[in-house]
C-alpha cells in the first residue's frame, strides 16, 4: 500500500517566519523580497516546508524556481544548482534571460542548451603561459567566477523586476565551492527588486572541517540575513502526523514507540509507520528500517536501486541507468515504476530518478558488497567513456579511479578541471587537478604540466599559498623524467608567485638555475624565465643588473612578437626609475604605458597601483586615493578584485581614506562583510580596519589579534597592519606588557621576512608614544622594560632611516640638510613618521626624567615639527594627535593661550572622527574645555547602536545576535557607555539617552 503523507503539521510558526523573511505578504509600505537561511537535521521537514512556501508563493502570483545541490560526485560540479535554477527561469522568462544575457554573456555557461548560441564567431582565448609574470598576473579560465556571480545576480534582479520571484537553493551542505561563493554574494547584496531567496542545508552533516562550516561563519555576519532552524516536532505534532498516515498503528503502545523512536523527525516517523504497516520490527537502527522497506521490493527493483545508489545522491538519467543496469527497457521501466509507487524513488523530466530521501540512498549504498560495487563502477566507467554526453567528466574520473583505470581517471579529472575553469569555478578545478595529481606517479612526465595548471587554478581561486606549495612540491620531488626546460618553467613560475607573499625563498638563485637549464635557446620560455629574473633583481635593488636583463628580454620579446611581455618588462622597470627618486619620470613612464594597454588587460591594475604609489609618496593623498579607487573599479570591471593588484588597490585606497580622515569611506573599502576573500587577504583587510577601531576607541576582542598573528609567517604586510593598530588598542586598554610583546614579536617576524624595513620607524614611534603616555602608572620593573624596548626600537629606527633605500637616502646621514629636504619632498609619509618618532623620544625623556633632560622648549619644537610634517603629508588624525601632544608641551612651557588654540583645532578633528581616545587626551591637557563637547559626540557609531538597543531593554546576548557581535564585545561597549554617560546602570543609561535625545 503506498505511503501517503499528510498536510504540513507543527510548522505554522516556521512557515510564518519564512513567509515574513522573504516578504511574501509584506506589510503596508514594505517591499516584497528578502533572504533567509533554513537549517535542520535530515528528515526534519525542510523540503516539505519549502514546498509549502513555494506553493503559497505561486498562489500569490509569484514566479518560483528551485536549484538542488547533490552529494558525492555532484559536489565537484561547479554551479550545479544554478544550472538547474537558471534553466527553470529561462523556461519561465525567456525574454528576461535574453535581455540579461546581452549585458552578461557569462550567463550562457549556466545554460548548456544555449551555450553554443552566439559563440560560433568568437575566437578561442589564447593559451595562457605556465607563468604569468607580475604580482597581479595569474592565468585564468575563459570565465571569471565574478562574471558568473554578477550574471546570476543580474538575472534574479531582472526577474524580480518583471514578477515577484521566489528562489530556493536546497541542500547547500553538498554545494560546490563556486556555488557557495555565489550564494555568499547573493545573500550579502540582496536584491533591489521583489526577489525572495531561501537557502537550506542539513545541519547534522556539518562538522568543523566541513566546507560549509567557514561559509556559515561569514553568513552569520551578513546584516539583514535571517536564519530559521527547524527544531524537532513536539510529541503532540508527531502524534498528529502519525495518526494521519495511511497504515498508522491503532494500538497506543506502537504509536508511542514510533513517536519515541522518531525523536521529532517527520521523515523518520513516516518510515517507522511504513515499516510497521508492512509488519516489520521497529527494533534496530533507522538504517535497518530503511533497508527493510527496500527489501520488500523484488530483486530486479533492488538491483536498479543499487545502480542509482552508487551514483551518489544525484538525479540519474534514464539513458545512463539503462546502459549501466543492462536491463531491457520494459523490465527497467517496471522496476522503476515499482520503486516510485512505493515512495522509494522520485521521477523527474527529462526522465531521471533519485531517491525520495538521501538517507534511503545511503542505506542502499551501504548494502553493496565489494565485488558488486566494483562491477558497477566498471559498468559506469565503460558507459561514460563511450558516451561522455551522459555524464560529466568528474563522474568518469570517479568510476575509473575506483576500478584502477588511472590513465582514464587522470584524463577525465583534467577535463573536469578545465570544464570547471571554463564556467568560472577555479576552486572546483583545483580539486579536480589535485585529484589527478594524486593518481600520477612522480616519474610521470604529465605531472609537471598538471602541477602548473593546478597552481594556476589555485592562484585564480585566491589561494596563493596553495599555488606556491604545489610548485615547491614538484620541484622538490621531480622524479626521473622531468625535462630541464619544464623545470625552468616551474622555477620561473615559483619566483613570480612567491613574491606575492613573504615566504622564505632565494628568488635570484632560483632564476640562476632556470637560466642555466634553458641554455641559449631564444623562445617564449626564455622570455618567461628572464622576466622572472628581472623581477627578482628589481626586488632586491640590483637595478643596474636589472637594466641589462630588461634590455635583453625586451628585445627578445619584440623579436618574438610578444607585446604583452614587453609591457610587463616596462612595468617592472618603472621601479628602477623610482629608485632614482625622479618621480616625474616614473609617472610619465607609467602613464605612457597605461595609454597603450587595453582596458581589460590585468597589467593595467599594476600600472594604476604604481601611479597611486607615486602620488602617495609625494603626499598627494587625494590624488593617490583617486588612482587606488580607479584601480579597484578596474579590478571589479575585470572581475579580478581579489587578484593581488586589484585587492591591493582596494586595501591601500581604504588606508589612504583613513589618513585623509574619511573613516566612513575607509570602512566601506576595508570591511569585507560577507564577501568571500582568501587568506591571508582577509586577515590583511581585518588588520587594516582595526586602525579605524583604534582611532575611535572601539573595543576589540584580544583574540582577534591572536587570529591575525597566525598569518604573520606568510605575509609581512599582515604583520604591519596588525601591530600598528594593535599597539594603540592594547595601550588604550592599559595592557603595556601586551603591546610590548606584540611589538617585539612583530619585529622578529619582520626581521625574518624583510630584513630591513621602514615600518620599524612607525612601530618605534607608536610604542614610544604609548610608553610615554603610560609612564606615570607603571611599576619600576615594567618601567625598566618599557624604557629599554622603546629606546632600542627608537635607536634602530633612526639608524635604519639614515641608510634606508626605500626613502632614497643611501649612504647619507639622515640629519644632513639636503637629505632631509629630499626626504621631506619625495617621501612625506616617511618624513612625518620620522619627526613623530623624534618627538616621542623627546617626550619619553621628559616624563622619565632622563639626563640630560630636554627643556620644555625642546618638547614644543619637536612637536611643532611633527604637526607640520603630518599637516604637509595630509594625515588628518596623526596631525591632530601630534597637536594634542604639542598642547601638552605648550602647557608645560606655560603658554596657555597657545594650549587653547591647539586643543581647539585638535578637538574639532576628534569630534568629527568620533575619536574617543583623542578626546580623552585633549581633556587631560585642557580640563576646562572638556565640557565644550557633548557626551554624545564622544560616543562611537557602534556605541550609539548598542545604546539604542539597551534602551529597548535587550540583553547583551540579544544585542550581540542583532548586531552580529559577541556577547563579550557587547559587554565592553555597555561598560564604556555607562562610564561616558555617568550612569550607574542600564536603566539610568537609557533614561539619560532619551533625555538627551540620543535614542528615540
Amino acid at each position: 500500500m503506498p505511503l501517503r503523507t499528510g498536510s504540513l503539521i507543527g510548522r505554522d510558526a516556521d512557515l510564518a517566519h519564512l513567509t515574513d523573511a522573504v516578504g511574501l505578504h509584506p506589510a503596508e509600505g514594505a517591499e516584497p523580497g528578502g533572504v533567509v537561511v533554513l537549517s535542520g537535521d535530515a528528515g526534519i521537514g525542510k523540503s516539505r516546508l519549502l514546498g509549502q512556501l513555494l506553493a503559497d508563493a505561486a498562489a500569490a502570483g509569484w514566479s518560483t524556481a528551485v536549484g538542488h545541490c547533490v552529494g558525492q560526485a555532484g559536489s565537484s560540479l561547479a554551479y550545479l544548482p544554478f544550472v538547474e535554477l537558471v534553466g527553470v527561469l529561462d523556461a519561465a522568462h525567456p525574454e528576461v534571460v535574453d535581455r540579461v544575457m546581452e549585458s552578461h554573456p557569462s550567463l550562457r555557461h549556466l545554460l548548456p542548451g544555449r551555450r553554443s548560441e552566439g559563440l560560433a564567431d568568437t575566437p578561442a582565448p589564447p593559451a595562457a603561459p605556465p607563468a604569468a609574470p607580475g604580482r597581479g598576473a595569474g592565468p585564468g579560465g575563459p570565465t571569471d567566477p565574478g562574471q558568473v556571480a554578477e550574471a546570476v545576480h543580474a538575472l534574479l534582479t531582472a526577474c524580480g523586476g518583471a514578477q515577484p520571484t521566489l528562489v530556493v537553493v536546497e541542500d547547500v551542505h553538498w554545494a560546490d565551492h563556486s556555488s557557495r561563493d555565489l550564494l555568499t554574494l547573493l545573500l550579502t547584496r540582496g536584491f533591489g527588486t521583489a526577489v525572495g531567496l531561501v537557502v537550506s542545508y542539513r545541519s547534522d552533516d556539518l562538522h568543523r572541517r566541513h566546507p560549509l562550516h567557514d561559509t556559515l561563519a561569514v553568513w552569520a555576519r551578513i546584516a539583514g540575513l535571517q536564519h530559521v532552524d527547524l527544531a524537532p516536532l513536539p510529541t503532540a505534532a508527531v502524534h498528529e502526523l502519525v495518526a494521519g498516515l495511511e497504515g498508522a498503528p491503532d494500538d497506543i503502545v506502537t504509536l508511542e514507540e514510533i513517536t519515541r523512536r522518531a525523536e521529532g523527525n517527520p521523515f523518520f516517523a513516516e518510515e517507522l509507520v511504513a515499516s510497521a504497516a508492512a509488519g516489520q520490527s521497529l527494533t534496530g537502527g533507522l538504517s535497518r528500517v530503511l533497508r527493510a522497506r527496500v527489501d520488500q521490493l523484488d530483486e530486479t527493483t533492488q538491483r536498479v536501486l543499487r545502480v542509482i545508489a552508487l551514483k551518489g545522491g544525484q538525479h540519474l538519467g534514464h539513458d545512463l541507468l539503462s546502459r549501466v543496469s543492462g536491463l531491457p527497457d520494459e523490465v527497467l521501466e517496471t522496476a522503476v515504476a515499482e520503486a516510485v509507487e512505493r515512495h522509494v524513488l522520485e521521477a523527474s523530466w527529462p526522465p531521471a530518478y533519485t531517491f525520495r530521501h538521501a538517507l534511503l540512498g545511503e542505506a542502499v549504498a551501504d548494502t553493496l558488497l565489494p565485488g558488486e560495487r566494483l562491477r558497477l563502477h566498471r559498468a559506469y566507467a565503460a558507459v561514460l567513456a563511450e558516451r561522455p554526453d551522459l555524464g560529466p567528466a568528474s563522474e568518469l574520473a570517479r568510476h575509473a579511479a575506483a576500478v584502477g583505470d588511472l590513465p582514464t581517471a587522470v584524463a577525465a579529472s583534467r577535463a573536469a578541471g578545465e570544464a570547471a575553469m571554463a564556467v568560472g569555478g577555479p576552486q572546483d578545478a583545483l580539486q579536480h587537478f589535485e585529484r589527478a595529481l594524486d593518481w600520477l606517479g612522480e616519474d610521470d612526465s604529465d605531472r609537471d604540466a598538471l602541477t602548473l595548471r593546478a597552481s594556476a587554478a589555485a592562484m585564480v581561486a585566491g589561494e596563493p599559498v596553495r599555488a606556491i606549495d604545489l610548485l615547491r612540491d614538484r620541484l622538490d620531488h621531480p622524479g626521473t623524467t622531468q625535462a630541464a626546460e619544464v623545470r625552468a618553467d616551474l622555477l620561473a613560475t615559483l619566483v613570480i608567485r612567491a613574491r606575492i607573499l613573504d615566504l622564505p625563498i632565494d628568488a635570484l638563485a632560483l632564476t640562476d638555475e632556470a637560466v642555466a637549464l634553458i641554455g641559449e635557446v631564444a623562445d617564449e620560455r626564455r622570455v618567461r624565465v628572464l622576466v622572472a629574473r628581472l623581477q627578482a633583481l628589481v626586488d632586491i635593488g640590483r637595478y643596474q643588473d636589472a637594466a641589462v636583463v630588461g634590455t635583453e628580454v625586451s628585445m627578445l620579446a619584440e623579436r618574438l612578437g610578444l607585446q604583452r611581455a614587453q609591457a610587463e618588462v616596462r612595468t617592472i622597470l618603472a621601479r628602477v626609475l623610482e629608485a632614482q627618486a625622479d618621480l616625474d619620470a616614473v609617472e610619465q613612464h607609467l602613464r605612457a604605458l597605461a595609454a597603450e594597454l587595453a582596458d581589460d588587460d590585468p597589467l593595467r591594475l599594476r600600472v594604476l597601483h604604481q601611479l597611486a604609489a607615486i602620488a602617495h609618496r609625494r603626499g598627494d593623498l587625494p590624488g593617490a586615493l583617486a588612482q587606488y579607487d580607479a584601480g579597484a573599479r578596474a579590478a571589479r570591471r575585470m572581475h579580478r578584485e581579489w587578484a593581488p593588484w586589484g585587492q591591493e588597490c582596494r586595501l591601500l585606497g581604504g588606508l589612504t581614506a583613513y589618513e585623509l580622515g574619511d573613516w566612513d569611506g575607509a570602512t566601506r573599502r576595508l570591511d569585507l562583510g560577507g564577501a568571500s576573500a582568501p587568506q591571508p587577504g582577509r586577515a590583511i583587510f581585518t588588520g587594516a580596519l582595526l586602525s579605524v577601531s583604534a582611532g575611535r576607541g572601539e573595543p576589540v576582542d584580544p583574540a582577534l589579534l591572536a587570529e591575525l598573528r597566525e598569518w604573520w609567517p606568510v605575509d609581512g604586510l599582515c604583520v604591519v597592519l596588525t601591530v600598528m593598530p594593535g599597539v594603540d588598542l592594547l595601550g588604550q586598554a592599559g595592557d603595556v606588557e601586551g603591546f610590548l610583546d606584540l611589538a617585539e614579536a612583530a619585529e622578529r617576524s619582520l626581521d625574518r621576512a624583510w630584513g630591513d624595513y621602514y615600518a620599524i620607524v612607525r612601530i618605534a614611534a607608536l610604542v614610544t608614544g604609548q610608553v610615554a603616555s603610560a609612564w606615570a602608572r607603571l611599576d619600576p620593573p615594567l618601567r625598566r622594560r618599557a624604557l629599554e624596548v622603546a629606546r632600542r626600537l627608537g635607536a634602530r629606527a633612526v639608524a635604519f632611516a639614515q641608510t634606508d633605500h626605500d626613502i632614497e637616502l643611501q649612504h647619507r646621514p639622515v640629519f644632513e640638510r639636503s637629505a632631509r629636504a629630499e626626504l621631506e619632498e619625495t617621501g612625506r609619509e616617511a618624513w612625518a613618521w620620522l619627526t613623530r618618532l623624534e618627538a616621542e623620544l623627546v617626550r619619553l625623556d621628559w616624563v622619565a626624567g632622563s639626563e640630560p633632560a630636554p627643556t620644555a622648549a625642546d618638547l614644543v619644537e619637536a612637536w611643532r615639527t611633527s604637526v607640520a610634517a603630518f599637516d604637509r603629508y595630509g594625515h588628518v588624525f596623526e596631525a591632530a594627535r601630534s597637536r594634542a601632544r604639542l598642547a601638552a608641551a605648550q602647557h608645560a612651557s606655560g603658554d596657555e593661550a597657545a594650549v587653547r588654540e591647539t586643543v581647539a583645532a585638535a578637538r574639532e578633528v576628534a569630534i568629527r572622527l568620533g575619536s574617543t581616545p583623542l578626546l580623552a587626551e585633549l581633556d587631560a591637557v585642557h580640563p576646562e574645555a572638556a565640557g565644550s563637547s557633548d557626551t554624545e559626540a564622544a560616543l562611537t557609531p557602534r556605541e550609539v547602536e548598542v545604546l539604542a538597543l539597551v534602551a529597548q531593554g535587550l540583553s547583551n546576548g540579544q544585542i550581540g545576535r542583532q548586531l552580529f557581535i559577541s556577547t563579550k564585545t557587547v559587554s565592553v561597549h555597555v561598560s564604556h557607555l555607562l562610564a561616558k554617560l555617568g550612569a550607574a546602570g542600564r536603566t539610568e543609561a537609557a533614561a539619560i539617552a532619551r533625555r538627551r535625545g540620543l535614542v528615540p
Side-chain angles (χ1 to χ4, degrees):
M1 185 176 295
L3 176 69
R4 289 209 313 265
T5 57
S7 60
L8 191 67
I9 295 173
R11 295 298 184 196
D12 291 347
D14 297 311
L15 180 60
H17 194 166
L18 282 178
T19 299
D20 291 342
V22 300
L24 186 57
H25 303 298
E28 185 176 353
E31 296 294 330
V35 291
V36 61
V37 173
L38 175 67
S39 62
D41 291 349
I44 204 68
K46 299 183 297 298
S47 295
R48 185 174 301 180
L49 182 62
L50 290 172
Q52 186 63 54
L53 179 68
L54 289 162
D56 291 348
W62 286 44
S63 173
T64 64
V66 182
H68 297 86
C69 304
V70 296
Q72 295 186 22
S75 64
S76 60
L77 299 177
Y79 301 118
L80 180 63
F82 289 98
V83 171
E84 177 185 2
L85 193 151
V86 171
V88 172
L89 293 175
D90 186 32
H93 303 286
E95 72 289 346
V96 175
V97 173
D98 287 339
R99 187 170 68 251
V100 172
M101 202 148 26
E102 290 179 3
S103 56
H104 296 81
S106 296
L107 194 61
R108 285 186 201 279
H109 292 281
L110 301 181
L111 288 164
R114 293 197 185 206
R115 193 172 294 169
S116 61
E117 295 178 13
L119 299 179
D121 298 327
T122 304
R135 181 177 172 95
T143 300
D144 188 282
Q147 294 174 322
V148 178
E150 292 288 346
V152 173
H153 185 268
L155 175 61
L156 296 183
T157 300
C159 287
Q163 179 184 3
T165 300
L166 175 61
V167 175
V168 173
V169 181
E170 286 203 75
D171 297 326
V172 296
H173 52 279
W174 285 325
D176 58 277
H177 184 281
S178 301
S179 294
R180 291 196 301 273
D181 281 354
L182 200 161
L183 284 168
T184 297
L185 179 139
L186 297 178
L187 294 171
T188 301
R189 285 193 181 178
F191 305 92
T193 59
V195 177
L197 171 62
V198 184
V199 176
S200 75
Y201 68 91
R202 188 194 288 182
S203 53
D204 56 342
D205 263 14
L206 298 189
H207 49 80
R208 187 170 60 86
R209 295 184 180 179
H210 192 285
L212 186 61
H213 185 274
D214 291 342
T215 303
L216 289 175
V218 174
W219 290 357
R221 296 191 293 269
I222 298 176
L225 174 62
Q226 299 193 49
H227 195 135
V228 177
D229 183 41
L230 292 190
L233 290 175
T235 299
V238 176
H239 278 163
E240 182 182 354
L241 171 68
V242 171
L245 296 175
E246 185 173 339
D250 296 328
D251 64 292
I252 189 65
V253 175
T254 304
L255 177 62
E256 291 295 338
E257 176 66 5
I258 289 175
T259 302
R260 184 187 67 79
R261 294 285 311 283
E263 297 181 338
N265 189 298
F267 177 71
F268 294 174
E270 292 173 1
E271 293 302 317
L272 290 166
V273 169
S275 182
Q280 302 292 328
S281 171
L282 296 180
T283 60
L286 179 67
S287 62
R288 185 182 304 172
V289 174
L290 296 174
R291 286 198 298 270
R293 289 201 61 212
V294 174
D295 290 342
Q296 300 173 43
L297 305 174
D298 63 61
E299 177 55 34
T300 302
T301 303
Q302 290 186 46
R303 175 182 172 185
V304 171
L305 293 180
R306 290 193 290 273
V307 173
I308 298 174
L310 195 70
K311 178 69 172 175
Q314 302 179 64
H315 282 75
L316 179 59
H318 182 86
D319 286 349
L320 181 56
L321 174 61
S322 174
R323 290 171 180 270
V324 173
S325 68
L327 294 172
D329 288 345
E330 61 275 10
V331 175
L332 176 61
E333 290 166 2
T334 300
V336 168
E338 170 73 4
V340 171
E341 177 71 14
R342 300 295 291 270
H343 293 274
V344 175
L345 290 183
E346 290 182 345
S348 60
W349 187 265
Y353 315 103
T354 189
F355 283 94
R356 175 173 170 264
H357 194 287
L359 291 176
L360 273 168
E362 293 166 10
V364 174
D366 288 342
T367 66
L368 288 170
L369 297 172
E372 184 179 23
R373 187 181 297 271
L374 187 64
R375 288 191 295 274
L376 285 176
H377 276 304
R378 186 174 291 115
Y380 266 112
V383 172
L384 290 172
E386 180 183 356
R387 288 287 306 276
D389 58 302
L390 295 181
S394 58
E395 273 288 278
L396 173 57
R398 183 169 75 94
H399 295 299
V403 299
D405 183 2
L406 296 186
T408 298
V410 170
S413 197
R414 292 183 71 170
E418 297 300 342
M421 290 292 286
V423 296
Q427 186 69 44
D428 307 296
L430 176 59
Q431 293 176 7
H432 290 302
F433 291 142
E434 289 196 347
R435 190 173 295 124
L437 285 171
D438 287 341
W439 296 326
L440 284 177
E442 285 187 353
D443 291 336
D444 196 312
S445 58
D446 288 341
R447 193 171 184 87
D448 297 303
L450 189 53
T451 296
L452 286 167
R453 197 66 187 120
S455 178
M459 289 297 295
V460 177
E463 295 194 27
V465 176
R466 190 69 173 174
I468 292 165
D469 286 345
L470 285 164
L471 295 170
R472 280 178 160 174
D473 181 72
R474 184 53 180 163
L475 287 166
D476 291 342
H477 303 88
T480 59
T481 62
Q482 188 176 76
E485 62 274 15
V486 174
R487 184 174 182 83
D489 261 335
L490 290 164
L491 290 166
T493 305
L494 176 61
V495 168
I496 292 299
R497 291 181 181 155
R499 70 185 300 269
I500 292 173
L501 304 174
D502 289 303
L503 300 171
I505 186 173
D506 188 345
L508 202 58
L510 294 178
T511 59
D512 283 341
E513 181 183 351
V515 170
L517 287 169
I518 60 175
E520 298 302 320
V521 61
D523 59 4
E524 187 174 343
R525 177 176 282 113
R526 183 176 188 84
V527 171
R528 292 196 295 271
V529 170
L530 290 181
V531 166
R533 182 167 181 80
L534 171 64
Q535 185 67 72
L537 289 167
V538 169
D539 287 344
I540 61 175
R542 286 177 51 176
Y543 300 130
Q544 290 185 345
D545 292 337
V548 173
V549 174
T551 300
E552 178 186 352
V553 69
S554 184
M555 292 175 62
L556 178 56
E558 183 179 10
R559 190 163 69 250
L560 295 174
L562 304 175
Q563 295 180 345
R564 194 177 186 283
Q566 289 180 275
E568 191 154 22
V569 169
R570 292 170 60 192
T571 305
I572 297 172
L573 289 176
R575 183 67 184 88
V576 178
L577 289 174
E578 189 177 348
Q580 299 168 2
D582 187 352
L583 300 187
D584 290 338
V586 179
E587 182 177 7
Q588 182 178 359
H589 175 89
L590 290 171
R591 290 193 180 281
L593 181 57
E596 299 173 10
L597 293 173
D599 287 344
D600 60 349
D601 190 330
L603 190 59
R604 174 176 289 276
L605 300 180
R606 184 171 184 175
V607 172
L608 290 171
H609 178 278
Q610 289 182 247
L611 283 169
I614 295 300
H616 200 277
R617 283 192 58 184
R618 286 177 168 151
D620 178 12
L621 298 189
L625 180 59
Q627 290 287 4
Y628 283 133
D629 283 349
R633 286 194 301 272
R636 286 193 295 272
R637 186 176 65 250
M638 299 178 198
H639 306 288
R640 301 182 67 88
E641 56 185 319
W642 300 117
W645 294 109
Q647 178 176 306
E648 287 173 2
C649 281
R650 177 176 173 177
L651 171 72
L652 295 174
L655 290 171
T656 304
Y658 166 80
E659 292 174 326
L660 284 166
D662 180 10
W663 286 5
D664 290 339
T667 300
R668 284 197 306 274
R669 292 171 175 86
L670 297 175
D671 189 354
L672 299 182
S676 176
Q679 292 286 20
R682 176 168 288 278
I684 290 171
F685 272 78
T686 301
L689 192 56
L690 286 180
S691 295
V692 177
S693 298
R696 285 177 169 162
E698 296 175 337
V700 172
D701 189 341
L704 179 58
L705 296 177
E707 291 175 12
L708 297 181
R709 288 181 64 170
E710 294 179 10
W711 294 98
W712 283 15
V714 175
D715 199 322
L717 184 58
C718 189
V719 182
V720 172
L721 293 178
T722 303
V723 70
M724 301 307 187
V727 167
D728 277 345
L729 286 165
L730 293 171
Q732 292 162 12
D735 187 359
V736 177
E737 289 276 12
F739 76 69
L740 292 175
D741 291 343
L742 182 69
E744 290 194 304
E747 181 187 19
R748 292 191 296 270
S749 185
L750 290 173
D751 284 348
R752 289 191 295 268
W754 291 350
D756 290 333
Y757 47 94
Y758 186 75
I760 191 66
V761 178
R762 185 168 175 181
I763 293 173
L766 292 170
V767 168
T768 305
Q770 288 294 344
V771 170
S773 296
W775 186 262
R777 63 177 186 272
L778 302 183
D779 59 31
L782 187 51
R783 278 187 175 184
R784 286 192 294 273
R785 184 196 173 194
L787 188 62
E788 184 279 326
V789 172
R791 285 182 169 167
R792 180 181 61 76
L793 289 175
R796 177 178 178 181
V798 170
F800 169 74
Q802 290 176 341
T803 55
D804 178 26
H805 293 241
D806 289 341
I807 55 177
E808 318 309 337
L809 295 176
Q810 295 174 316
H811 313 299
R812 289 181 290 179
V814 72
F815 300 113
E816 177 186 338
R817 169 173 280 182
S818 62
R820 288 175 70 91
E822 180 181 325
L823 173 58
E824 188 175 357
E825 181 59 34
T826 64
R828 294 187 182 182
E829 179 186 16
W831 168 252
W833 281 103
L834 183 59
T835 61
R836 165 74 176 276
L837 171 59
E838 292 172 350
E840 294 288 17
L841 289 170
V842 173
R843 182 163 76 110
L844 181 57
D845 285 344
W846 172 273
V847 299
S850 303
E851 293 294 340
T855 66
D858 294 333
L859 200 59
V860 169
E861 180 58 28
W863 283 108
R864 284 192 189 281
T865 303
S866 181
V867 168
F870 277 113
D871 274 345
R872 188 175 190 199
Y873 170 44
H875 197 314
V876 173
F877 175 67
E878 291 301 345
R881 184 149 64 164
S882 291
R883 279 190 171 84
R885 290 169 193 180
L886 171 60
Q890 291 168 332
H891 178 71
S893 69
D895 189 352
E896 294 304 319
V899 171
R900 286 191 294 274
E901 181 181 348
T902 304
V903 166
R907 187 181 298 281
E908 180 183 352
V909 173
I911 292 173
R912 176 167 61 82
L913 297 179
S915 176
T916 302
L918 182 53
L919 283 168
E921 186 171 350
L922 291 167
D923 290 345
V925 174
H926 199 238
E928 63 270 26
S932 63
S933 66
D934 293 333
T935 301
E936 54 266 30
L939 297 182
T940 67
R942 177 64 86 185
E943 286 170 348
V944 172
E945 288 181 305
V946 172
L947 179 58
L949 297 176
V950 167
Q952 294 176 24
L954 273 63
S955 68
N956 286 355
Q958 291 170 324
I959 294 172
R961 286 191 292 274
Q962 185 151 338
L963 297 181
F964 302 101
I965 58 179
S966 70
T967 302
K968 181 178 178 181
T969 301
V970 175
S971 178
V972 175
H973 280 306
V974 172
S975 297
H976 284 197
L977 282 170
L978 296 180
K980 291 179 180 181
L981 295 172
R986 298 165 70 95
T987 302
E988 184 180 354
I992 293 172
R994 291 190 181 94
R995 187 169 62 251
R996 296 183 181 178
L998 299 178
V999 298

